[in-house]
Amino acid sequence: HDEVVQLLRDAEATALARLRGENEEQSRLLQEMGAQLADKDKALAAQDKELARLRAAEEGQRKALQKLGADIAEKDRALSHKESEIDRLQIVDEEQAFQLGEKEEELASKHKKNERLNREARPGVEVVYVDEGVTRI
């Protein structure tokens, strides 16, 4: 009878030792898994932080692009206005050049007429042509 009790106690001790070993192994595995989970949580937090930074940068770039687009549109309007002003001034310049040419022709014609009148005038009398008539000096 004592032998049976001893065999049972030995079997129980062996079983308990085996269970303790399994329990320790499971405990070690759980600790490792907990550490891995903590590492993954840290990595996920870092990725969340990086994602937030990238989103903020993207928003900043979007706003900068909008501002650049508005600046470009404003410069285009200013350029268009200046091009229109240049076109207008070129037309005015051409008109003034044409008018100047007409005035030069008119002056040359009056000068020729004055010279002709002076040639025809009596000696000692100078004729000056005035728009609508002749003045003798």
Side-chain angles (χ1 to χ4, degrees), residues 29-48:
L29 288 174
L30 283 174
Q31 286 177 348
E32 286 179 11
M33 291 174 75
Q36 289 175 358
L37 184 59
D39 289 346
K40 290 185 187 281
D41 283 345
K42 286 179 186 175
L44 186 57
Q47 287 178 345
D48 285 346

Side-chain angles (χ1 to χ4, degrees), residues 13-23:
T14 302
L16 284 174
R18 185 181 51 81
L19 287 174
R20 281 188 193 120
E22 289 175 5
N23 191 16

Side-chain angles (χ1 to χ4, degrees), residues 1-31:
H1 175 265
D2 287 338
E3 282 182 26
V4 173
V5 171
Q6 187 59 38
L7 284 173
L8 287 175
R9 282 187 185 157
D10 288 346
E12 182 182 17
T14 302
L16 284 174
R18 185 181 51 81
L19 287 174
R20 281 188 193 120
E22 289 175 5
N23 191 16
E24 288 174 4
E25 179 64 17
Q26 288 178 352
S27 179
R28 187 187 60 76
L29 288 174
L30 283 174
Q31 286 177 348

Side-chain angles (χ1 to χ4, degrees), residues 9 44 63 72 86 104 118:
R9 282 187 185 157
L44 186 57
K63 286 180 181 179
I72 288 170
I86 288 170
E104 287 174 343
N118 277 330

Side-chain angles (χ1 to χ4, degrees), residues 54-129:
L54 290 173
R55 284 184 179 149
E58 178 185 31
E59 180 64 16
Q61 289 173 347
R62 186 186 61 76
K63 286 180 181 179
L65 284 174
Q66 284 178 335
K67 184 181 180 322
L68 284 175
D71 289 350
I72 288 170
E74 179 60 31
K75 300 264 187 218
D76 282 347
R77 284 189 292 276
L79 181 62
S80 178
H81 175 74
K82 286 182 181 188
E83 287 172 343
S84 296
E85 183 65 11
I86 288 170
D87 290 345
R88 185 189 70 78
L89 290 174
Q90 285 175 336
I91 291 169
V92 167
D93 184 51
E94 290 170 3
E95 289 174 356
Q96 290 176 344
F98 178 76
Q99 290 172 358
L100 180 62
E102 286 181 334
K103 295 288 183 188
E104 287 174 343
E105 288 177 14
E106 184 180 333
L107 182 61
S109 173
K110 286 180 181 181
H111 183 67
K112 284 181 183 178
K113 189 170 187 177
N114 190 28
E115 286 178 347
R116 183 183 53 80
L117 289 173
N118 277 330
R119 281 193 306 272
E120 295 172 359
R122 295 185 314 233
V125 176
E126 182 179 343
V127 177
V128 178
Y129 178 73

